[in-house]
Amino acid sequence: MHGEEIPFGYGFWSLVVVNAAIFVLFALSFLAPVRRREWRSFGVFTAFVVALFTEMYGFPLTIYVLTAILGSRYPALNPFSHASGHLWITLLGGGPWMSAVIHLVSNGLMLAGLLLMGVGWYRIHRARGELVTDGVYAWVRHPQYAGLFLITIGMLVQWPTIITVLTWPALMLVYYRLARREEREAEARFGDAYARWKASVPMFVPRIGFGRGAAPSAVERLDPEALTFAVLRGLAMIGGLAALSIVPLRPEHEIHLGPLLGAFITYKAALFVLLFARPQRARPIFLATLVADLGIVFVLVWFTGGGESHFYLLFSVLVALNAYQFGPGIGVLAAILSADLMAVANILVAPGVPWAHIGARAALFGLLGLALGHIASRERRARAEAEGFNAELRAALARLEEAKDRAVRAERLAAAGRVSARMAHEVRSPIGAIGLNVEMLEEIVRGCPGPMMGDAGDLLRGIRAEVRRLAGLTDEYLTFSRLPRAQPQEDSINEMLDELVAFVKPEADQRGVVLVRDPDPLIPLFSFDRDLLRRAVLNLVKNGIEATPQGGWVLVATRLDGERAEVGVEDTGRGIDVRDAPHLFEPFFTTKPRGTGLGLAIARQIAEEHGGTLRWENAPGGGARFTLRLPLVVNGLADAMAAARPPQQRSGVGRDEAEDSGGCGRGDSPGARPR
Ligand SMILES: Nc1ncnc2c1ncn2[C@@H]1O[C@H](COP(=O)(O)OP(=O)(O)O)[C@@H](O)[C@H]1O
Ligand SMILES: [Mg+2]
């Protein structure tokens, strides 16, 4: 089909249909569009593919349109042959070589794209709705769309047409927008975990790890230096081969360099695949390819005149590059091997050049290997030292930054704490007095029957309910401002949670919410402050109950996770709105008309007090899930907790004030200290 003997290489409509169908069905099965927007994006892809194959096998519209320009500049062009449809070759020239390179590159891109789509689909499919952040997802956030882009780029490289060139940006745009939308949804669903992953993994183009932006990931990355070396070595060899092939050879030494170059490119491409698949084995791979490269150059030299062949210059490229990469040892070794191979080639092809020539070349290679190797090692040592300093500096900066954040947060908490403590302190006594007076009034009213007195009784009951609520509020404010230090003691967390669930059950029953327990019996006894932790979980459970509509459930689960115990509180409410997410743990942030906005701030403070963490995410089912992770500290390790705990500033409330807080929160527990 590539020959000029076919006068009209088009009109093969069955090929158009079959090829387009294969690509469209492939993409369909992996992208599986469901919603309208997804179908619309998929439509653009379908249009792209159909346009491409229509021109490839059906009717050469682009060539037809461009004939005027192409015809005058490329008189030999036959617009109706399939071969001229390979526009890049027509425009860039280069004949079969160019054709081989273009086919290789484009097929490689398409293959990589198909692979990415397949792998991405497989991971998502296997995860069954959970967030996937490893495997190919540690490289890019949208491997399937990245695959689609690669496939279409491959198509453009192989067979550009006016329609596909114009459609391609639109294709990119619709899939970019689709990806953004999916991210917004995923963010609402997976919360914190998604945001962290998003911050470290790029959208479509993987970071190979150049410079500062490199993201840590589960996949071991190919060292950028190794990658540069592989690219440079490939380029130097291919470029050198191509450059040297310009020099005419004696007729008896003439060989077909085209296929050789093609094979060489394929071998280099395979090397890249191997490097990416086994980045940790880069060094042995490089050394093995050094031997292979030396062998290839030897064969080339042998076939093109032995000692007379000028292809021996390629040895110097190999010596120089490897000396620079691996130091003087490998450099000199490569030089010696090159010299030996040159000598063998000189013997194999009679009459050969005088041995002084070979000796001079060998000496030159040796010097090159030695000198470059030494310079490179020196430079590498200096760089390692500088990098060491740099890393230290960066770590120090990060610590500083973190300390600053903590100080700012602590100061904000402290200020809020001072205000709330003062307020709560001021209003607590009057509230107590009002409560007592209301009770006395109720007694009086009860003693004087009469129609008016019935109404008065109702009013007093209302007042008493509000007074109780106010007392609860002051309690919470005071707790927040003077959270005592944890007094850890060995205890059973499951037992504490059982008791807590029994305690909240009446409230849950009243709201028609079912409380479910899922304890992990493997969690051993460990040290924690029972009262404090109870308060933290209680806040989470109460939030869960408040968020859950009638008929829903709140699950209180525990799980042993290595050295940590996890307490999870999950509900079937509406979940957490992404817009609220950044403020959840801020004191006084609330979306409830009668909320204090202190529950989560207190819970997180308690978690940190125990050397643990409190994280949230939206559960796949729609509700919110809060997870407390606590180190399994055993007896006498309270000091370890203190070490793990961030050095928080005290809230600034004096000890005297705290001690006279009487029955509020933990103020009265023995040994409790104000914060
Ligand atoms: N389980 C949950 N589901 C949905 N939203 C929640 C949940 N827990 C907390 N929130 C959100 O976080 C906010 C702060 O919670 P919190 O600190 O306990 O204060 P409050 O309960 O007094 O509002 C709530 O107002 C609510 O918007
Ligand atoms: Mg709350």
Side-chain angles (χ1 to χ4, degrees), residues 476 539-540 542-543 546 592 596-600:
E476 201 158 325
N539 287 348
L540 301 179
K542 277 196 166 164
N543 279 346
E546 281 161 9
K592 300 168 192 169
T596 59
L598 291 177
L600 289 179

Side-chain angles (χ1 to χ4, degrees), residues 21-53:
I22 288 174
F23 274 90
V24 168
L25 288 178
F26 177 87
L28 191 66
S29 53
F30 285 118
L31 295 176
V34 177
R35 286 178 286 189
R36 258 182 64 155
R37 179 180 280 267
E38 290 167 355
W39 275 111
R40 223 172 331 151
S41 309
F42 191 75
V44 181
F45 174 71
T46 308
F48 182 94
V49 170
V50 170
L52 172 77
F53 287 110

Side-chain angles (χ1 to χ4, degrees), residues 433-621:
I434 293 172
L436 267 179
N437 287 345
V438 168
E439 272 176 32
M440 276 152 64
L441 258 177
E442 274 185 313
E443 290 277 312
I444 295 169
V445 165
R446 231 177 277 132
C448 321
M452 294 289 279
M453 290 302 144
D455 290 347
D458 287 345
L459 288 174
L460 284 173
R461 262 188 296 283
I463 294 176
R464 192 148 53 94
E466 284 303 302
V467 166
R468 211 179 298 134
R469 198 177 77 79
L470 276 175
L473 272 182
T474 43
D475 232 46
E476 201 158 325
Y477 274 69
L478 280 169
T479 310
F480 168 68
S481 62
R482 303 177 186 147
L483 201 65
R485 283 265 141 145
Q487 305 284 321
Q489 262 170 12
E490 212 167 86
D491 209 331
S492 157
I493 191 143
N494 281 329
E495 195 194 297
M496 183 274 274
L497 292 174
D498 286 342
E499 183 272 315
L500 183 146
V501 166
F503 172 77
V504 229
K505 193 167 178 302
E507 191 180 328
D509 286 346
Q510 204 184 359
R511 287 171 174 264
V513 174
V514 182
L515 282 182
V516 189
R517 272 287 280 130
D518 180 15
D520 182 345
L522 293 180
I523 299 187
L525 296 183
F526 69 99
S527 284
F528 60 90
D529 186 314
R530 188 179 174 109
D531 289 353
L532 279 186
L533 211 57
R534 183 180 183 283
R535 185 177 280 272
V537 182
L538 186 65
N539 287 348
L540 301 179
V541 175
K542 277 196 166 164
N543 279 346
I545 295 174
E546 281 161 9
T548 303
Q550 207 172 13
W553 48 257
V554 172
L555 170 71
V556 182
T558 49
R559 202 167 69 88
L560 182 65
D561 180 20
E563 299 284 283
R564 301 197 149 233
E566 267 185 25
V567 180
V569 180
E570 185 178 334
D571 60 61
T572 47
R574 63 189 179 283
I576 283 157
D577 194 316
V578 243
R579 280 163 304 186
D580 296 339
H583 312 293
L584 278 191
F585 296 99
E586 282 172 14
F588 308 113
F589 172 79
T590 180
T591 54
K592 300 168 192 169
R594 306 191 111 186
T596 59
L598 291 177
L600 289 179
I602 291 175
R604 176 178 264 187
Q605 233 175 313
I606 293 175
E608 287 177 357
E609 182 78 5
H610 281 79
T613 55
L614 175 60
R615 295 248 157 86
W616 70 274
E617 64 200 315
N618 277 330

Side-chain angles (χ1 to χ4, degrees), residues 26-161:
F26 177 87
L28 191 66
S29 53
F30 285 118
L31 295 176
V34 177
R35 286 178 286 189
R36 258 182 64 155
R37 179 180 280 267
E38 290 167 355
W39 275 111
R40 223 172 331 151
S41 309
F42 191 75
V44 181
F45 174 71
T46 308
F48 182 94
V49 170
V50 170
L52 172 77
F53 287 110
T54 303
E55 289 221 25
M56 203 182 271
Y57 300 113
F59 180 77
L61 182 72
T62 301
I63 312 242
Y64 187 73
V65 172
L66 295 182
T67 296
I69 314 164
L70 293 175
S72 60
R73 285 199 54 189
Y74 304 93
L77 179 81
N78 172 2
F80 294 120
S81 87
H82 178 89
S84 333
H86 282 287
L87 262 189
W88 291 122
I89 304 165
T90 308
L91 295 177
L92 300 175
W97 281 35
M98 194 55 134
S99 168
V101 173
I102 283 181
H103 273 89
L104 230 96
V105 171
S106 104
N107 288 343
L109 284 170
M110 284 198 266
L111 206 73
L114 294 174
L115 217 84
L116 257 180
M117 278 181 90
V119 172
W121 174 86
Y122 174 72
R123 304 276 327 188
I124 288 289
H125 189 70
R126 223 181 41 170
R128 294 180 193 286
E130 292 290 314
L131 180 64
V132 190
T133 56
D134 57 349
V136 68
Y137 284 87
W139 289 77
V140 285
R141 302 204 294 274
H142 301 277
Q144 298 208 43
Y145 298 157
L148 200 74
F149 296 157
L150 276 185
I151 293 173
T152 49
I153 293 172
M155 287 169 163
L156 288 182
V157 168
Q158 177 145 165
W159 196 286
T161 75

